[in-house]
Amino acid sequence: MSTQVHANLTEEQVRQISGDLDEPEWLLETRLEALEALSDLDMPDVIRTPGRDWTNLHELDFESLVDPLNAAENKDQIGPDEVEVLPWAEAVSEHEALLKEQFGSVVDPQENYLTALSTALFSTGTVVYVPEGVDAEDVTIRTEQNSRSLFNYTLVVTEESSSVTILERQSTGEKQDEQYYSGIVEVVAGENSSVQYGSLQNLSEDAYNFSLKRGDADTYATINWIEVNLGTQLTKSGVSTELNGDSSETQIVGAFYGHNDQHFDIDAKVWHKAEHTTADLVTRGVTDDVARSVYEGVQDVGREAWDTSSYQRENTLMLSDESEADASPKLIINNHDTEASHSATVGQIDQEDLLYMTSRGVDPRAARNMLVEGFFVPVMEEIAVDELREDLEELVAARLRERSE
Amino acid sequence: MARLELNNLHAEVAEGDEKILEGVDLEVESGEIHALMGPNGSGKSTTAKVIAGHPAYEVTEGEVLLHLEEDEFGDEIEIDEDQRSWNLLELEPNERAALGVFLAFQYPAEIEGVTMTNFLRTALNAKIEEREELFEDDEGEDEEEEDDGFETSPMEGPADEGEVGVAEFQQILQEKMEQLDMDERFAQRYLNAGFSGGEKKQNEVLQAAILEPSIAVLDEIDSGLDIDRLQDVSDGINALRDEQGTGVLQITHYQRILDYVEPDHVHVMLDGQIAKSGGPELAAELEDKGYDWVREEVYGTA
């Protein structure tokens, strides 16, 4: 399917963005190539059944959503002293060699229309560099969007035997009728290093969001993702790990709570490409009112992936009859030396559970809220970042309190 | 004192018209222990569920009444004369609980992510609050209208922690668990999740002990218990009656538990009705002769 090309996007705009950031020629070229590629690229893959795309990205009016030269945000980029947490322009001037080596090495800028658009137009970003042997906690990246569109880029590089915990959050400052946030995250986890990357997306419910996060795990490296989505009217979010090194591991934990007419399309993917690798994918989500969720999970076990362990489970709880949830867990096995499981469920509050609780005196509303909060607990238990877990608990509780009945 | 009264109770499955109860008459008073026995499918469990307000059953005829005396809930709650009899069928399950009705489930729900402590404290506080609302004087109505709607703004933090605070509740829970010889680690486990059959039953008795019901309906609380646990559960039931004056309606298939919890009255249910009632000796007779004997005696056919 061909995609509309922006009539109002120009090379000059891209040159100006790159120039303002003082970027080297090779980076400008990468951006310009991405811009030029737009006409040939498709929207990201979505699950399709005959006659229907589960998530329709073509209806988005990028023409009016994208306003490349007026990006505005409020940003915090904080971390402990022993790790470098650099705004993009600073990273460009201080770490050009690192960027040249890693930028676009995990997520191909021309993977699809939206990654190319993001690559061409991103005006803000963060580079987290963790030197060999350093253990760093509490790296925080906070982005508050104040403009119609905002394109963000994050690169995390951990050297051998280091570890880092990162919490990235997005929210909306100045609201508009429609806004677009696009974020690409690349994680390059060096040998025997460990990255825990938590993301809390709580943008305005009028916003659209496209994000793609992917990690490359070297030998004995661990990449753990926590993907939380609460805001936007439409989110297309992909989280994935390539287990390229022997004995590497990943965990992808997801949580979402959609209400009103929110639409979340979440995909979690892992590619087992080396020996003795382990993956654990756990997502839980709630849909209410006329909200809709689409989940796709893929465990891809490559031919060389001997002794693979790979587990996936997804559960969606529908709180209203009008909400919809679809899930498609997939397991592709090309090496028989694999222990794997995958499952997905979609269900409603169990009436027997509810009666059990109300018959002990708990009023129906409180009982239902306890069941919903309890439903998220298996995911909460996997979140090692206290701040993220506590915020998610509070946001879920607040959303439940907002319900009219 | 409280009295549960079932009059000519008829009920059927809400979806479909399968009749299950066909005129049940039964009375249980505070401090009494009644055993309700009968073959599978005779309507014992349905009776229990209808008393609790299970939405899967529709009552087509008859009534379920709860009569309370003035001092049922102590000094704090004043029960006016016109508030002493309640038609339970008009009330929600949580309101029935607030009035002192408790159902121990044959198959207790397993609820992931909600700890025993959190659930039970919430239930206890909700019960106290609901009870206050049910017995509120007429003058109190204006007051209620004022704080109608949200108790706290939806964006503020959670509502206050209720009548029984965390520390006080821990104390209560610990005492009751010791009485029932339960491992204190239960308190932090998720409600029935991963519990063995026996642990679930013990947990039902614990919940009754904490919620201090006026009338407790125990649906096959004895099935699947080993002898030690049967003893613990029985001690718990006897304590409910002896210490809290609870009236107990004990549904069971087996004579065995009645050796530990001696009933004052025994009822035999057949085909959705109470076919025969008697004293404790009736249970022994059933154990010897089975139910066909009752059928023969009542209907003249075997």
Side-chain angles (χ1 to χ4, degrees), chain A residues 161-222:
Chain A
S161 301
S162 67
S163 71
V164 66
T165 299
I166 299 165
L167 174 54
E168 174 156 28
R169 41 208 310 163
Q170 294 95 31
S171 59
T172 306
E174 288 164 28
K175 287 185 181 142
Q176 300 186 18
D177 288 348
E178 290 187 319
Q179 281 167 294
Y180 180 63
Y181 176 89
S182 170
I184 291 179
V185 177
E186 297 187 277
V187 170
V188 182
E191 187 172 338
N192 196 38
S193 72
S194 170
V195 177
Q196 160 118 230
Y197 194 102
S199 165
L200 176 56
Q201 181 274 106
N202 196 22
L203 292 159
S204 141
E205 287 186 33
D206 294 318
Y208 300 100
N209 166 37
F210 168 72
S211 69
L212 184 59
K213 305 182 180 77
R214 189 172 299 150
D216 168 0
D218 201 346
T219 307
Y220 284 111
T222 299

Coordinates of all heavy atoms in Angstrom, one line a residue, chain A residues 161-222:
Chain A
S161 N 30.1 -5.2 31.1 CA 29.9 -5.4 32.6 C 29.4 -4.1 33.3 O 29.7 -3.9 34.4 CB 31.2 -5.9 33.3 OG 31.5 -7.1 32.7
S162 N 28.6 -3.3 32.6 CA 28.0 -2.2 33.2 C 26.5 -2.4 33.4 O 26.0 -3.4 32.9 CB 28.2 -0.9 32.4 OG 27.5 -1.0 31.2
S163 N 25.8 -1.6 34.1 CA 24.4 -1.7 34.2 C 23.8 -0.3 34.4 O 24.4 0.6 35.0 CB 24.0 -2.6 35.4 OG 24.2 -2.0 36.6
V164 N 22.5 -0.2 33.9 CA 21.8 1.1 34.0 C 20.3 0.9 34.1 O 19.8 -0.1 33.6 CB 22.2 2.0 32.8 CG1 21.6 1.4 31.5 CG2 21.7 3.4 33.1
T165 N 19.7 1.7 34.9 CA 18.2 1.7 35.0 C 17.7 3.1 34.5 O 18.1 4.1 35.0 CB 17.8 1.5 36.5 OG1 18.2 0.2 36.9 CG2 16.3 1.5 36.6
I166 N 16.8 3.0 33.5 CA 16.4 4.3 32.9 C 14.9 4.3 33.0 O 14.2 3.4 32.7 CB 16.8 4.3 31.4 CG1 18.3 4.3 31.3 CG2 16.3 5.6 30.7 CD1 18.9 3.9 30.0
L167 N 14.4 5.5 33.3 CA 12.9 5.7 33.3 C 12.6 6.9 32.4 O 13.1 8.0 32.6 CB 12.4 6.0 34.7 CG 10.9 6.4 34.8 CD1 10.0 5.4 34.1 CD2 10.5 6.6 36.3
E168 N 11.9 6.6 31.3 CA 11.6 7.7 30.3 C 10.1 7.9 30.4 O 9.3 6.9 30.3 CB 12.1 7.3 28.9 CG 11.6 8.3 27.9 CD 12.4 8.4 26.6 OE1 13.0 7.3 26.2 OE2 12.5 9.4 26.0
R169 N 9.7 9.1 30.5 CA 8.2 9.4 30.5 C 7.9 10.6 29.6 O 8.6 11.5 29.4 CB 7.8 9.7 31.9 CG 8.7 10.6 32.7 CD 8.6 10.3 34.2 NE 7.3 10.3 34.7 CZ 6.9 9.8 35.8 NH1 7.8 9.2 36.6 NH2 5.6 9.9 36.2
Q170 N 6.7 10.4 29.0 CA 6.2 11.4 28.1 C 4.8 11.9 28.6 O 4.0 11.1 28.9 CB 6.0 10.9 26.6 CG 7.3 10.5 25.9 CD 7.5 9.0 26.1 OE1 6.6 8.2 26.2 NE2 8.8 8.6 26.1
S171 N 4.7 13.2 28.6 CA 3.4 13.8 28.9 C 3.2 15.0 28.0 O 4.1 15.4 27.3 CB 3.3 14.2 30.4 OG 4.3 15.1 30.7
T172 N 2.0 15.6 28.1 CA 1.7 16.8 27.3 C 1.6 18.0 28.2 O 1.0 17.9 29.2 CB 0.3 16.6 26.6 OG1 0.4 15.3 25.9 CG2 0.0 17.7 25.6
G173 N 2.3 19.1 27.8 CA 2.2 20.3 28.6 C 1.1 21.1 28.0 O 0.0 21.1 28.5
E174 N 1.4 21.9 26.9 CA 0.4 22.7 26.3 C -0.4 21.8 25.3 O 0.1 21.3 24.3 CB 1.0 23.8 25.5 CG 1.6 24.9 26.4 CD 2.5 25.9 25.8 OE1 2.3 26.1 24.5 OE2 3.4 26.3 26.4
K175 N -1.7 21.7 25.6 CA -2.5 20.8 24.8 C -3.1 21.4 23.5 O -3.4 22.6 23.5 CB -3.7 20.3 25.6 CG -3.3 19.3 26.7 CD -4.5 18.7 27.4 CE -3.9 17.7 28.4 NZ -4.4 17.6 29.7
Q176 N -3.2 20.6 22.5 CA -3.9 21.1 21.3 C -4.9 20.0 20.9 O -4.9 18.9 21.4 CB -2.9 21.3 20.1 CG -1.8 22.3 20.5 CD -0.9 22.6 19.3 OE1 -1.2 22.3 18.1 NE2 0.2 23.2 19.6
D177 N -5.7 20.3 19.9 CA -6.8 19.4 19.5 C -6.2 18.0 19.1 O -6.7 17.0 19.4 CB -7.6 19.9 18.3 CG -8.5 21.0 18.8 OD1 -8.6 21.2 20.0 OD2 -9.0 21.8 17.9
E178 N -5.1 18.1 18.3 CA -4.5 16.9 17.9 C -3.0 17.2 18.0 O -2.5 18.3 17.6 CB -4.8 16.6 16.4 CG -6.3 16.2 16.2 CD -6.5 15.8 14.8 OE1 -6.1 16.4 13.9 OE2 -7.2 14.7 14.6
Q179 N -2.2 16.2 18.4 CA -0.8 16.3 18.5 C -0.2 15.0 18.1 O -0.8 14.0 18.2 CB -0.4 16.7 20.0 CG -0.6 18.2 20.3 CD -0.5 18.5 21.8 OE1 -1.4 18.0 22.5 NE2 0.5 19.2 22.1
Y180 N 1.1 15.1 17.7 CA 1.8 13.8 17.3 C 3.1 13.7 18.0 O 3.9 14.7 18.0 CB 2.0 13.8 15.8 CG 2.6 12.6 15.3 CD1 2.0 11.3 15.4 CD2 3.9 12.7 14.6 CE1 2.7 10.2 14.9 CE2 4.5 11.6 14.1 CZ 3.9 10.3 14.3 OH 4.5 9.2 13.8
Y181 N 3.3 12.6 18.7 CA 4.6 12.3 19.3 C 5.2 11.1 18.7 O 4.5 10.1 18.5 CB 4.4 12.1 20.8 CG 5.8 11.7 21.5 CD1 6.6 12.7 22.0 CD2 6.2 10.4 21.6 CE1 7.8 12.4 22.6 CE2 7.4 10.0 22.1 CZ 8.2 11.0 22.7 OH 9.4 10.7 23.2
S182 N 6.5 11.2 18.3 CA 7.1 10.1 17.7 C 8.5 9.9 18.4 O 9.2 10.8 18.6 CB 7.4 10.4 16.2 OG 8.2 9.4 15.7
G183 N 8.7 8.7 18.8 CA 9.9 8.4 19.6 C 10.6 7.1 19.1 O 9.9 6.1 19.0
I184 N 11.9 7.2 18.8 CA 12.6 6.0 18.5 C 13.7 5.8 19.6 O 14.4 6.7 20.0 CB 13.3 6.1 17.1 CG1 12.2 6.1 16.1 CG2 14.3 4.9 16.9 CD1 12.7 6.2 14.7
V185 N 13.8 4.5 20.1 CA 14.8 4.2 21.1 C 15.6 3.1 20.7 O 15.1 2.0 20.3 CB 14.1 3.8 22.5 CG1 15.1 3.4 23.5 CG2 13.2 5.0 23.0
E186 N 16.9 3.3 20.7 CA 17.9 2.2 20.4 C 18.7 1.9 21.6 O 19.2 2.8 22.2 CB 18.8 2.6 19.2 CG 18.1 2.9 17.9 CD 19.1 3.1 16.8 OE1 19.6 4.2 16.6 OE2 19.3 2.1 16.0
V187 N 18.8 0.6 21.9 CA 19.6 0.2 23.1 C 20.7 -0.8 22.6 O 20.3 -1.8 21.9 CB 18.8 -0.5 24.2 CG1 19.7 -1.1 25.2 CG2 17.8 0.5 24.8
V188 N 21.9 -0.4 22.8 CA 23.0 -1.3 22.5 C 23.7 -1.8 23.7 O 24.4 -1.1 24.4 CB 24.1 -0.6 21.6 CG1 25.2 -1.5 21.2 CG2 23.4 0.1 20.4
A189 N 23.3 -3.0 24.1 CA 23.8 -3.6 25.4 C 25.1 -4.4 25.2 O 25.0 -5.5 24.5 CB 22.7 -4.4 26.1
G190 N 26.2 -3.9 25.7 CA 27.5 -4.6 25.5 C 27.6 -5.8 26.3 O 26.7 -6.2 27.1
E191 N 28.7 -6.6 26.1 CA 28.8 -7.9 26.7 C 28.6 -7.8 28.2 O 29.2 -6.9 28.9 CB 30.3 -8.4 26.4 CG 30.5 -9.8 26.9 CD 31.8 -10.4 26.4 OE1 32.3 -9.9 25.4 OE2 32.3 -11.3 27.1
N192 N 27.8 -8.7 28.7 CA 27.6 -8.8 30.2 C 27.1 -7.6 30.8 O 27.3 -7.3 32.0 CB 28.9 -9.3 30.9 CG 28.7 -9.8 32.3 OD1 27.7 -10.5 32.5 ND2 29.6 -9.5 33.2
S193 N 26.4 -6.7 30.1 CA 25.8 -5.5 30.7 C 24.3 -5.7 30.8 O 23.8 -6.7 30.3 CB 26.1 -4.3 29.8 OG 25.3 -4.4 28.6
S194 N 23.8 -4.8 31.6 CA 22.3 -5.0 31.9 C 21.6 -3.6 31.8 O 22.1 -2.6 32.3 CB 22.2 -5.5 33.3 OG 20.9 -5.5 33.7
V195 N 20.5 -3.6 31.0 CA 19.8 -2.4 30.8 C 18.3 -2.7 31.3 O 17.7 -3.6 30.8 CB 19.7 -1.9 29.4 CG1 18.9 -0.7 29.2 CG2 21.2 -1.7 28.9
Q196 N 17.8 -1.8 32.1 CA 16.4 -1.8 32.5 C 15.8 -0.5 32.0 O 16.2 0.5 32.4 CB 16.2 -2.0 34.0 CG 14.9 -1.6 34.5 CD 14.1 -2.8 35.1 OE1 12.9 -3.0 34.8 NE2 14.7 -3.5 36.0
Y197 N 14.9 -0.6 31.1 CA 14.4 0.6 30.4 C 12.9 0.7 30.6 O 12.1 -0.1 30.0 CB 14.7 0.6 28.9 CG 14.5 1.9 28.3 CD1 15.6 2.7 28.0 CD2 13.2 2.4 28.0 CE1 15.4 4.0 27.4 CE2 13.0 3.6 27.4 CZ 14.1 4.4 27.1 OH 14.0 5.6 26.5
G198 N 12.4 1.6 31.5 CA 11.0 1.7 31.7 C 10.4 2.9 31.0 O 11.1 4.0 30.9
S199 N 9.3 2.8 30.4 CA 8.7 3.9 29.7 C 7.3 4.1 30.2 O 6.5 3.1 30.2 CB 8.7 3.5 28.2 OG 7.8 4.4 27.5
L200 N 6.9 5.3 30.5 CA 5.6 5.6 30.9 C 5.0 6.7 30.0 O 5.4 7.9 30.1 CB 5.6 6.1 32.4 CG 4.3 6.6 33.0 CD1 3.2 5.5 32.9 CD2 4.5 7.0 34.5
Q201 N 4.2 6.3 29.1 CA 3.6 7.2 28.1 C 2.2 7.7 28.7 O 1.3 6.9 28.8 CB 3.4 6.5 26.8 CG 2.8 7.3 25.7 CD 1.3 7.3 25.7 OE1 0.6 8.2 26.1 NE2 0.7 6.2 25.3
N202 N 2.1 8.9 29.0 CA 0.9 9.5 29.6 C 0.6 10.8 28.9 O 0.3 11.8 29.5 CB 1.0 9.7 31.1 CG -0.3 9.8 31.7 OD1 -1.4 9.5 31.2 ND2 -0.3 10.5 32.9
L203 N 0.6 10.8 27.5 CA 0.3 12.0 26.8 C -1.2 12.3 26.8 O -2.0 11.5 27.2 CB 0.7 11.7 25.3 CG 2.3 11.6 25.1 CD1 2.5 10.9 23.7 CD2 2.9 13.0 25.1
S204 N -1.5 13.5 26.3 CA -2.9 13.9 26.3 C -3.8 12.9 25.5 O -3.3 12.3 24.5 CB -3.0 15.3 25.6 OG -4.1 15.4 24.8
E205 N -5.0 12.8 25.8 CA -5.9 11.8 25.1 C -6.3 12.3 23.8 O -7.1 11.7 23.1 CB -7.1 11.4 26.0 CG -6.6 10.5 27.1 CD -7.8 10.0 28.0 OE1 -8.8 9.7 27.4 OE2 -7.5 9.8 29.2
D206 N -5.8 13.5 23.4 CA -6.1 13.9 22.0 C -4.8 13.7 21.1 O -4.9 14.0 19.9 CB -6.3 15.4 22.0 CG -7.6 15.8 22.7 OD1 -8.6 15.0 22.5 OD2 -7.7 16.7 23.5
A207 N -3.8 13.1 21.7 CA -2.6 13.0 21.0 C -2.5 11.6 20.2 O -3.2 10.7 20.6 CB -1.4 13.1 21.9
Y208 N -1.6 11.6 19.2 CA -1.3 10.4 18.5 C 0.2 10.0 18.9 O 1.0 10.9 19.1 CB -1.4 10.5 17.0 CG -2.8 10.9 16.6 CD1 -3.1 12.2 16.2 CD2 -3.8 9.9 16.5 CE1 -4.4 12.5 15.8 CE2 -5.0 10.2 16.1 CZ -5.3 11.5 15.7 OH -6.6 11.9 15.4
N209 N 0.5 8.8 18.9 CA 1.9 8.4 19.3 C 2.3 7.2 18.5 O 1.7 6.2 18.3 CB 1.8 8.0 20.8 CG 3.1 7.3 21.3 OD1 4.2 7.6 20.9 ND2 2.9 6.3 22.2
F210 N 3.5 7.4 18.0 CA 4.2 6.3 17.3 C 5.5 6.1 18.1 O 6.3 7.1 18.2 CB 4.5 6.5 15.8 CG 5.4 5.5 15.3 CD1 5.0 4.2 15.0 CD2 6.7 5.9 14.9 CE1 5.9 3.3 14.5 CE2 7.6 4.9 14.4 CZ 7.2 3.6 14.2
S211 N 5.8 4.9 18.6 CA 7.1 4.7 19.2 C 7.6 3.3 18.8 O 6.9 2.4 18.6 CB 7.1 4.9 20.7 OG 6.3 3.9 21.3
L212 N 8.9 3.3 18.7 CA 9.6 2.0 18.4 C 10.8 1.9 19.2 O 11.7 2.8 19.2 CB 9.9 2.0 16.9 CG 10.6 0.6 16.4 CD1 9.7 -0.5 16.7 CD2 10.9 0.7 14.9
K213 N 10.9 0.9 20.0 CA 12.0 0.7 20.9 C 12.6 -0.7 20.6 O 11.9 -1.7 20.5 CB 11.6 0.7 22.4 CG 10.8 1.9 22.8 CD 10.5 1.9 24.3 CE 9.7 3.1 24.7 NZ 8.3 3.1 24.3
R214 N 13.9 -0.7 20.4 CA 14.5 -2.0 20.1 C 15.9 -2.1 20.7 O 16.7 -1.1 20.8 CB 14.6 -2.2 18.6 CG 15.1 -3.7 18.2 CD 15.0 -3.9 16.7 NE 13.6 -3.7 16.3 CZ 13.2 -3.3 15.1 NH1 14.2 -3.1 14.2 NH2 12.0 -3.2 14.7
G215 N 16.3 -3.3 21.2 CA 17.6 -3.5 21.8 C 18.4 -4.6 21.1 O 17.8 -5.5 20.5
D216 N 19.7 -4.4 21.2 CA 20.6 -5.4 20.7 C 21.4 -5.9 21.9 O 22.2 -5.2 22.5 CB 21.5 -4.8 19.6 CG 22.6 -5.6 19.2 OD1 22.8 -6.8 19.7 OD2 23.4 -5.2 18.4
A217 N 21.2 -7.2 22.2 CA 21.9 -7.7 23.4 C 23.1 -8.6 23.0 O 22.9 -9.6 22.3 CB 20.9 -8.6 24.3
D218 N 24.2 -8.2 23.5 CA 25.4 -8.9 23.2 C 25.5 -10.1 24.2 O 24.7 -10.4 25.1 CB 26.6 -8.0 23.4 CG 27.9 -8.5 22.7 OD1 27.9 -9.7 22.3 OD2 28.8 -7.7 22.5
T219 N 26.6 -10.9 24.2 CA 26.8 -12.0 25.0 C 26.6 -11.7 26.5 O 27.1 -10.7 27.0 CB 28.3 -12.5 24.8 OG1 28.5 -12.7 23.4 CG2 28.5 -13.8 25.5
Y220 N 25.8 -12.5 27.1 CA 25.5 -12.4 28.6 C 24.8 -11.1 28.9 O 24.8 -10.7 30.1 CB 26.7 -12.6 29.5 CG 27.2 -14.0 29.6 CD1 28.3 -14.5 29.0 CD2 26.4 -14.9 30.3 CE1 28.7 -15.8 29.1 CE2 26.7 -16.3 30.4 CZ 27.9 -16.7 29.9 OH 28.2 -18.0 30.0
A221 N 24.4 -10.3 27.9 CA 23.7 -9.1 28.2 C 22.2 -9.3 28.5 O 21.7 -10.3 28.1 CB 23.9 -8.1 27.1
T222 N 21.7 -8.4 29.3 CA 20.2 -8.4 29.6 C 19.6 -7.1 29.3 O 20.1 -6.1 29.6 CB 20.0 -8.7 31.1 OG1 20.6 -9.9 31.5 CG2 18.6 -8.7 31.5

